[in-house]
Amino acid sequence: MNTPRRFRWPRYLIGTLLILVLGALIAAWFLLAGSRARLDGEVRANAIKAPVTITRDALGTVTLQGQNRDDITYALGYVQAQERFFPMDLMRRLPAGELSELVGAKALDTDISHRRQRLRSVAQAAYAALPPEQKHTLDLYAQGVNAGLSDLHVKPWEYLLLDAKPQAWRPEDTFLVIAAMYLDLNGDGRNERELHIAELRSALPAPVADFLLSPDPDWEAPLEGDLSRPPVIPDVTVFDLRKGQPATPSSAALTAALLPALDQPRPGSNSFAVAGSLTENGSAILANDMHLGLRVPNIWFRARLRYPDPAAPGGERDASGVTLPGTPALVVGSNGQVAWGFTNSYGDWLDWVRVQRDPNDATRYKVPEGWATVETHDEEIRIKGAPSHLLKVESTRWGPIMAKDTDGTPLALAWIGNRPRGYNLGVMQLEHAQSAHAALDLAASMGMPPQNLLAADSAGHIGWTVTGNSIPLRKGFDPQVPADWSAPDTGWVGWSDERPRIEDPADGRLWTANNRTVDGAGLELLGNGGHDLGARAQQIRDDLRARSSFTPGNLLDVQLDDRAVLLTRWQRLLQDTLAGTSDPELEQLRQLTANWTARAEPASVDYRLVRLFRDKVKEDVLAPFVAQVKAKHDDFSWPGMIDAEAAVWALLRDRPANMLDPKYDNWSALLTAAAHQVVDELGKQPGGLAARNWGEVNRTDIRSPLSRALPGFMGKLLDMPDEPVAGDHNMPRVVMPGFGASERLDVMPGQESQSILHMPGGQSDNPLSPYHGAGHEDWVVGRPTPLLPGPPQHTLTLVPSAS
């Protein structure tokens, strides 16, 4: 019997294949290398008046030295485009609803959602309404961006991969980048939170809805004003889960409706300051870390801007911090006299308006003076490799029609982000502020998403207020649910010139962490757009109160605080629940969580187990209420940014029978069932419960937007190393997979050489750049990196074409 001979590749074919592969790799390397930023030499530019030097240190921090801010603006656009034009392109395309044109139909749903806002038209109108000097700034910046793009030897590598051509930058595109921040900080401009609140209120008695949505006074830490009232549990005469229970959705459906909202990352930030009375040299110190989705390269771009300014110390403005590519502004940093930082205010900047259509003419809708006509816009969404999608957008004077109320009435979205007045370059004036007081004075002129602004100055003063030139004055309606604005004197009736404001508090400490900051008239003006629970802010406040003297390094220590203060009472509850258990699996759970380290560290098993226990308990407690709402509104999900800690803990403390899911005999049975769920979910995995540490699930996961489209090993070349990291979201050190502190700044104005700045992801999007991922490891481990650049490694000079 003959055995078949195995097929053998001829040697010349193997050699040819290897040559082709090697040739492809060499070609790819040359294309990548050709799209790297130019680091040295001299470049002629026809839009500048005097030479500008661009130096880079070992981290890629860019220092721009020029003779005027206009030339710096041009140079900043040039260098940002050279290092990361593609991420800038994504930032402008996202709000404009133009991603599908670049990446294909996979982005169509996102484009449809954003195109309804018609934000490109908003950006164009905002640009047209600017004063001449701000138009000039955006024109210069756009010229710099386009010059930087055209000076690359090869177009950015991402366009080679996508087989696309980069489009020129337009002056109004900067406002689209700001629009992207509006979307990120304002719930993607969809206001689903208030839609779900409306559904919850329509399905449950008002006292029950009020109870479930209650803020938690145990964890609040406002800057001024009183704590919220404790939640009031409805008694059996108001509500009884044991009666009239609807059909219960599946466990998976309830989890899908609950957990994402209860545990979702919350775009926001920490910012806090201490006065000069608490520092050795009398200068105040400011800390800022902005919590956003993390990517490669980082959203921010480290820069130092130096140019003559008679109002600056020594006649030279020397400003250091982070810029936002796509804009010419130093967003957060220090100008030598004042340092400033932002956190998302989570005020209420979106409202749903019930559109009362004319029953005899659907093109008309009711307004205070009678009837108005619905505007119709036909939007073409181009799709790479497919026919365009035509979208009909209906708009009212209040905003686009984007949803329906619980009774089917059309809803228009009133949002400051889709109004041209919400966009300008006012934030750039912080670069010239000479005191914390002067910085706060600028807040009301800034066309940007309303943020908590903290300022600290070299004379030791600190202050807080809220930015934004578009804080609406409301009248005649409840802003937490859809309302009819067709009656006179109802709706947004103007814009506020007033802002809550605090300067030089008696104890010399200020803090914000997306929590409620004020009460009374200030809270009524700002509203509640999803304030954080407050545990993070309270921990920061208590950390600050624990010291009487500070350096920038001490403030970094606060930013890196990963103590699990919120979970400590949950650990005690779990121990009480499992005391005396005879179940061997539950006994192991009890033992593993008995020695409470109270830290969200990668090696911590107890933290992960207690955290999951809390999640399971909250799911089980809230499930019957969610079931009742879903019986009436199948699309219901728990309203975003509402933690429900206050309601759940009150029920666990008082254990009322009328608020317990009837599937449990008593509250102890619910708690034991939640503990069993922890064992079932984690105990069956390799190594069992004892191997389930926090670092197994809490990893950095910081990736390039395109890495998933490439083969595994190639994609990893674009991403940062995926490694376990300390932190979570209810503590100062906010880190979750692909989310967290996008920078950590600790700055003493006037003493910048003692100050700190680090960030993840690096400066450049090109994997062959020496600055791809530079400084990332410092961020991972919390190592202090100097704010000021180190010795220059490269120098590029822009010179006027006429010279």
Side-chain angles (χ1 to χ4, degrees):
M1 182 175 176
N2 294 326
T3 302
R5 295 174 61 186
R6 288 192 302 172
F7 176 78
R8 296 181 183 273
W9 287 96
R11 290 183 179 180
Y12 73 88
L13 285 181
I14 296 175
T16 301
L17 182 61
L18 290 174
I19 290 171
L20 290 173
V21 170
L22 182 61
L25 291 174
I26 292 173
W29 187 91
F30 273 106
L31 291 173
L32 273 173
S35 64
R36 287 182 298 182
R38 185 171 180 175
L39 303 181
D40 296 288
E42 185 175 288
V43 174
R44 295 199 171 274
N46 58 14
I48 60 175
K49 298 177 181 177
V52 179
T53 59
I54 303 170
T55 61
R56 289 171 169 87
D57 71 351
L59 295 178
T61 304
V62 171
T63 298
L64 306 177
Q65 178 90 45
Q67 295 303 307
N68 56 77
R69 187 48 165 99
D70 280 354
D71 289 353
I72 295 290
T73 295
Y74 176 93
L76 183 61
Y78 182 96
V79 73
Q80 287 176 347
Q82 288 246 309
E83 292 286 12
R84 50 166 85 179
F85 183 83
F86 181 74
M88 291 165 59
D89 193 12
L90 293 183
M91 283 281 279
R92 64 174 170 174
R93 286 179 179 272
L94 176 73
E98 297 170 357
L99 286 172
S100 297
E101 184 178 9
L102 184 65
V103 301
K106 63 176 72 75
L108 182 58
D109 288 345
T110 298
D111 279 351
I112 289 173
S113 175
H114 295 164
R115 187 66 71 88
R116 292 187 188 280
Q117 304 279 7
R118 303 187 67 243
L119 291 172
R120 181 167 286 284
S121 295
V122 171
Q124 291 168 343
Y127 172 76
L130 286 177
E133 63 275 11
Q134 291 193 24
K135 279 187 179 178
H136 177 66
T137 296
L138 288 183
D139 291 346
L140 275 174
Y141 178 76
Q143 290 179 54
V145 170
N146 291 325
L149 177 63
S150 65
D151 280 357
L152 292 171
H153 294 301
V154 178
K155 64 185 176 181
W157 65 269
E158 295 94 339
Y159 297 97
L160 299 170
L161 184 66
L162 294 169
D163 189 24
K165 180 180 179 181
Q167 302 298 312
W169 194 265
R170 289 175 277 191
E172 66 268 20
D173 288 345
T174 288
F175 288 155
L176 285 173
V177 173
I178 297 175
M181 299 307 297
Y182 267 107
L183 289 170
D184 203 13
L185 299 171
N186 291 179
D188 203 38
R190 293 185 292 182
N191 204 17
E192 290 181 338
R193 174 180 175 274
E194 289 183 7
L195 290 176
H196 294 318
I197 289 175
E199 290 174 334
L200 188 147
R201 290 195 175 280
S202 75
L204 297 173
V208 178
D210 291 342
F211 170 70
L212 293 174
L213 301 174
S214 294
D216 195 334
D218 289 347
W219 298 106
E220 290 179 324
L223 291 175
E224 66 178 13
D226 296 327
L227 300 179
S228 299
R229 294 188 180 92
V232 177
I233 301 175
D235 65 28
V236 70
T237 64
V238 174
F239 190 73
D240 192 344
L241 279 172
R242 297 167 296 185
K243 299 178 180 178
Q245 183 76 343
T248 303
S250 69
S251 175
L254 289 174
T255 298
L258 270 167
L259 194 55
L262 291 174
D263 198 42
Q264 67 183 342
R266 293 163 169 81
S269 308
N270 299 328
S271 197
F272 43 99
V274 293
S277 58
L278 301 174
T279 70
E280 189 173 294
N281 64 11
S283 177
I285 313 176
L286 175 128
N288 180 256
D289 48 291
M290 297 179 281
H291 308 153
L292 299 166
L294 304 179
R295 64 194 188 209
V296 180
N298 191 32
I299 185 172
W300 311 115
F301 187 79
R302 295 180 63 140
R304 183 181 191 182
L305 314 179
R306 306 181 73 178
Y307 55 93
D309 181 353
E316 181 182 66
R317 182 59 62 195
D318 189 351
S320 294
V322 296
T323 64
L324 175 60
T327 77
L330 190 72
V331 176
V332 164
S334 176
N335 66 13
Q337 295 166 293
V338 180
W340 64 93
F342 297 113
T343 65
N344 198 18
S345 64
Y346 278 105
D348 189 0
W349 317 122
L350 310 91
D351 284 314
W352 288 112
V353 184
R354 291 170 58 86
V355 179
Q356 309 289 346
R357 289 189 186 267
D358 183 344
N360 299 313
D361 184 355
T363 65
R364 302 200 310 165
Y365 65 100
K366 192 175 181 182
V367 296
E369 63 272 22
W371 298 94
T373 301
V374 174
E375 295 181 12
T376 300
H377 305 276
D378 294 321
E379 295 285 325
E380 179 187 4
I381 301 177
R382 296 187 179 93
I383 305 172
K384 181 181 179 180
S388 295
H389 177 87
L390 299 180
L391 177 67
K392 180 181 179 181
V393 177
E394 292 186 307
S395 293
T396 68
R397 62 173 54 179
W398 305 301
I401 297 174
M402 295 184 63
K404 291 183 179 180
D405 203 353
T406 54
D407 62 357
T409 299
L411 295 176
L413 183 65
W415 177 37
I416 63 173
N418 62 24
R419 304 195 176 207
R421 67 167 287 125
Y423 298 83
N424 65 37
L425 298 181
V427 70
M428 292 182 68
Q429 293 307 308
L430 286 170
E431 215 171 286
H432 303 280
Q434 299 179 51
S435 66
H437 181 87
L440 300 188
D441 284 346
L442 296 169
S445 66
M446 298 179 191
M448 61 183 291
Q451 302 286 289
N452 292 304
L453 167 64
L454 256 67
D457 66 30
S458 57
H461 302 291
I462 58 175
W464 163 86
T465 190
V466 175
T467 69
N469 67 349
S470 299
I471 294 181
L473 293 170
R474 294 178 168 94
K475 187 175 181 181
F477 72 102
D478 179 358
Q480 290 292 299
V481 292
D484 181 2
W485 290 11
S486 65
D489 294 323
T490 303
W492 292 1
V493 295
W495 307 99
S496 176
D497 294 324
E498 302 297 321
R499 300 287 185 282
R501 181 167 173 157
I502 299 172
E503 293 186 71
D504 294 328
D507 72 346
R509 298 165 175 87
L510 288 171
W511 59 89
T512 68
N514 316 121
N515 56 306
R516 176 176 67 83
T517 51
V518 293
D519 66 357
L523 179 59
E524 184 177 354
L525 173 66
L526 302 177
N528 179 6
H531 293 138
D532 187 78
L533 172 65
R536 179 161 44 95
Q538 188 180 105
Q539 198 162 327
I540 291 170
R541 179 201 67 189
D542 293 348
D543 283 347
L544 295 177
R545 288 178 174 174
R547 294 187 63 93
S548 58
S549 179
F550 295 88
T551 66
N554 298 139
L555 269 62
L556 177 61
D557 290 341
V558 176
Q559 293 173 312
L560 297 175
D561 181 2
D562 58 14
R563 291 177 303 121
V565 176
L566 173 67
L567 286 189
T568 295
R569 67 182 186 182
W570 287 90
Q571 183 266 349
R572 291 196 294 264
L573 178 64
L574 177 58
Q575 289 293 301
D576 291 344
T577 298
L578 301 181
T581 182
S582 59
D583 186 309
E585 292 182 328
L586 294 186
E587 173 59 19
Q588 184 191 24
L589 177 61
R590 187 194 68 78
Q591 292 178 7
L592 288 171
T593 56
N595 295 320
W596 179 232
T597 60
R599 286 191 177 276
E601 295 177 333
S604 175
V605 173
D606 56 324
Y607 178 82
R608 183 177 179 187
L609 297 179
V610 172
R611 187 186 192 278
L612 184 59
F613 174 69
R614 176 178 180 256
D615 289 345
K616 296 301 182 183
V617 171
K618 290 175 75 172
E619 286 182 49
D620 291 348
V621 170
L622 296 173
F625 303 100
V626 172
Q628 292 213 7
V629 182
K630 285 187 75 69
K632 189 172 181 180
H633 306 288
D634 185 59
D635 66 340
F636 175 74
S637 293
W638 189 258
M641 309 299 175
I642 295 177
D643 187 273
E645 177 81 10
V648 170
W649 195 259
L651 294 175
L652 296 174
R653 180 193 64 221
D654 294 358
R655 307 196 174 193
N658 64 304
M659 301 289 277
L660 174 66
D661 190 328
K663 69 191 265 189
Y664 300 108
D665 293 334
N666 52 55
W667 284 94
S668 294
L670 181 149
L671 292 170
T672 302
H676 273 294
Q677 292 170 44
V678 172
V679 172
D680 291 343
E681 182 170 322
L682 298 182
K684 312 304 182 189
Q685 299 177 32
L689 287 179
R692 304 280 76 80
N693 61 53
W694 181 233
E696 186 178 42
V697 291
N698 202 55
R699 305 183 68 84
T700 50
D701 192 30
I702 300 174
R703 310 184 69 172
S704 161
L706 294 182
S707 65
R708 289 174 174 84
L710 295 172
F713 79 95
M714 295 181 66
K716 289 183 179 180
L717 294 176
L718 304 179
D719 299 335
M720 294 299 100
D722 186 25
E723 51 194 318
V725 64
D728 201 356
H729 64 70
N730 275 312
M731 56 188 59
R733 188 170 189 168
V734 173
V735 185
M736 300 176 73
F739 181 87
S742 58
E743 44 73 61
R744 296 189 187 102
L745 172 72
D746 303 281
V747 58
M748 179 181 287
Q751 305 293 325
E752 282 74 18
S753 62
Q754 302 176 34
S755 302
I756 297 165
L757 172 64
H758 62 212
M759 68 181 200
Q763 288 275 85
S764 176
D765 69 348
N766 192 304
L768 296 184
S769 168
Y771 308 123
H772 182 262
H776 174 80
E777 189 62 22
D778 294 336
W779 174 88
V780 172
V781 301
R783 185 183 303 121
T785 304
L787 166 64
L788 294 183
Q793 293 189 341
H794 299 277
T795 301
L796 177 70
T797 304
L798 305 184
V799 297
S801 295
S803 65

Coordinates of all heavy atoms in Angstrom, one line a residue, residues 631-657:
A631 N -43.2 46.9 32.4 CA -44.5 46.3 32.0 C -45.3 47.4 31.2 O -46.1 47.1 30.4 CB -45.3 45.9 33.2
K632 N -45.0 48.6 31.5 CA -45.7 49.7 30.8 C -44.9 50.3 29.7 O -45.4 50.8 28.6 CB -46.1 50.8 31.8 CG -47.0 51.9 31.2 CD -47.4 52.9 32.3 CE -48.4 53.9 31.8 NZ -48.8 54.8 32.9
H633 N -43.5 50.3 29.8 CA -42.6 50.9 28.9 C -41.5 49.9 28.7 O -40.5 49.9 29.4 CB -42.0 52.2 29.4 CG -43.1 53.2 29.8 ND1 -43.9 53.9 28.8 CD2 -43.5 53.7 31.0 CE1 -44.7 54.7 29.5 NE2 -44.5 54.6 30.8
D634 N -41.6 49.1 27.6 CA -40.6 48.0 27.4 C -39.2 48.5 27.2 O -38.3 47.7 27.5 CB -41.1 47.2 26.2 CG -40.2 45.9 26.0 OD1 -40.2 45.1 26.9 OD2 -39.6 45.8 24.9
D635 N -39.0 49.7 26.7 CA -37.7 50.2 26.4 C -37.0 50.8 27.7 O -35.9 51.4 27.6 CB -37.7 51.2 25.3 CG -38.5 52.5 25.7 OD1 -39.3 52.5 26.6 OD2 -38.2 53.5 25.1
F636 N -37.7 50.7 28.8 CA -37.2 51.4 30.0 C -35.8 50.8 30.5 O -35.6 49.6 30.5 CB -38.2 51.3 31.2 CG -37.7 51.8 32.5 CD1 -37.6 53.2 32.7 CD2 -37.2 51.0 33.5 CE1 -37.1 53.7 33.9 CE2 -36.8 51.5 34.7 CZ -36.7 52.9 34.9
S637 N -34.9 51.7 30.8 CA -33.7 51.4 31.5 C -33.6 52.4 32.7 O -34.1 53.5 32.7 CB -32.5 51.6 30.6 OG -32.5 50.6 29.6
W638 N -32.8 51.9 33.7 CA -32.7 52.8 34.9 C -32.0 54.1 34.4 O -31.1 54.1 33.7 CB -31.8 52.1 35.9 CG -31.7 52.9 37.2 CD1 -30.8 53.7 37.7 CD2 -32.8 52.9 38.2 NE1 -31.1 54.2 38.9 CE2 -32.4 53.8 39.2 CE3 -34.0 52.3 38.3 CZ2 -33.1 54.0 40.3 CZ3 -34.8 52.5 39.4 CH2 -34.4 53.4 40.4
P639 N -32.6 55.2 34.9 CA -32.1 56.5 34.5 C -30.6 56.7 34.8 O -30.1 56.5 35.9 CB -32.9 57.6 35.3 CG -34.1 56.8 35.6 CD -33.7 55.4 35.8
G640 N -29.8 57.1 33.8 CA -28.4 57.3 33.9 C -28.1 58.3 35.0 O -28.8 59.3 35.2
M641 N -26.9 58.2 35.6 CA -26.4 59.1 36.6 C -27.2 59.1 37.9 O -27.0 59.9 38.8 CB -26.3 60.5 36.1 CG -25.6 60.7 34.8 SD -23.9 60.1 34.8 CE -23.5 60.2 33.1
I642 N -28.1 58.1 38.1 CA -28.8 58.0 39.4 C -28.3 56.7 40.0 O -28.7 55.6 39.6 CB -30.3 58.0 39.2 CG1 -30.7 59.4 38.6 CG2 -31.0 57.7 40.5 CD1 -32.2 59.5 38.3
D643 N -27.6 56.8 41.1 CA -26.9 55.6 41.7 C -27.9 54.8 42.5 O -27.7 53.6 42.7 CB -25.8 56.1 42.6 CG -25.0 55.0 43.2 OD1 -25.3 54.5 44.2 OD2 -24.0 54.7 42.5
A644 N -29.0 55.4 43.1 CA -30.0 54.7 43.9 C -29.4 54.2 45.3 O -30.0 53.4 45.9 CB -30.6 53.5 43.2
E645 N -28.2 54.6 45.6 CA -27.6 54.2 46.9 C -28.5 54.6 48.1 O -28.7 53.8 49.0 CB -26.2 54.8 47.1 CG -25.5 54.5 48.4 CD -24.9 53.1 48.4 OE1 -24.8 52.5 47.3 OE2 -24.4 52.7 49.5
A646 N -29.1 55.8 48.0 CA -29.9 56.3 49.2 C -31.1 55.4 49.4 O -31.4 54.9 50.5 CB -30.3 57.7 48.9
A647 N -31.8 55.1 48.3 CA -33.0 54.3 48.4 C -32.7 52.8 48.8 O -33.3 52.3 49.8 CB -33.8 54.3 47.1
V648 N -31.7 52.2 48.2 CA -31.4 50.8 48.5 C -30.9 50.7 50.0 O -31.3 49.8 50.7 CB -30.3 50.3 47.5 CG1 -29.8 49.0 48.0 CG2 -30.9 50.2 46.1
W649 N -30.0 51.6 50.4 CA -29.5 51.5 51.8 C -30.6 51.7 52.8 O -30.7 51.0 53.9 CB -28.4 52.4 52.0 CG -27.6 52.1 53.3 CD1 -27.7 52.6 54.5 CD2 -26.7 50.9 53.4 NE1 -26.9 52.0 55.4 CE2 -26.3 50.9 54.8 CE3 -26.3 50.0 52.6 CZ2 -25.4 50.0 55.3 CZ3 -25.4 49.0 53.0 CH2 -25.0 49.0 54.4
A650 N -31.6 52.6 52.5 CA -32.7 52.9 53.4 C -33.5 51.6 53.6 O -34.0 51.3 54.7 CB -33.5 54.1 52.9
L651 N -33.8 50.9 52.5 CA -34.6 49.7 52.5 C -33.8 48.6 53.3 O -34.4 47.8 54.0 CB -34.9 49.2 51.1 CG -35.8 50.1 50.3 CD1 -36.0 49.6 48.8 CD2 -37.2 50.2 50.9
L652 N -32.5 48.5 53.1 CA -31.8 47.5 53.8 C -31.7 47.8 55.3 O -31.6 46.9 56.1 CB -30.4 47.4 53.2 CG -30.2 46.9 51.8 CD1 -28.8 47.0 51.3 CD2 -30.8 45.5 51.6
R653 N -31.7 49.0 55.6 CA -31.7 49.4 57.0 C -33.0 49.2 57.7 O -33.1 48.6 58.8 CB -31.3 50.9 57.1 CG -31.2 51.5 58.5 CD -31.2 53.0 58.5 NE -32.4 53.5 57.9 CZ -32.5 54.6 57.1 NH1 -31.4 55.2 56.7 NH2 -33.7 55.0 56.6
D654 N -34.1 49.6 57.1 CA -35.4 49.5 57.7 C -36.2 48.2 57.4 O -37.1 47.8 58.1 CB -36.3 50.7 57.3 CG -35.7 52.0 57.9 OD1 -34.7 52.0 58.6 OD2 -36.3 53.1 57.6
R655 N -35.9 47.6 56.2 CA -36.5 46.3 55.8 C -38.0 46.3 55.8 O -38.6 45.4 56.4 CB -35.9 45.2 56.6 CG -34.3 45.2 56.6 CD -33.7 44.0 57.1 NE -32.3 44.0 56.9 CZ -31.4 43.0 57.0 NH1 -31.9 41.8 57.2 NH2 -30.1 43.2 56.8
P656 N -38.6 47.2 55.1 CA -40.1 47.2 55.1 C -40.6 46.1 54.2 O -40.1 45.9 53.1 CB -40.5 48.6 54.5 CG -39.3 48.9 53.7 CD -38.1 48.3 54.4
A657 N -41.6 45.3 54.6 CA -42.1 44.2 53.9 C -42.8 44.6 52.6 O -42.7 43.9 51.6 CB -43.1 43.4 54.7

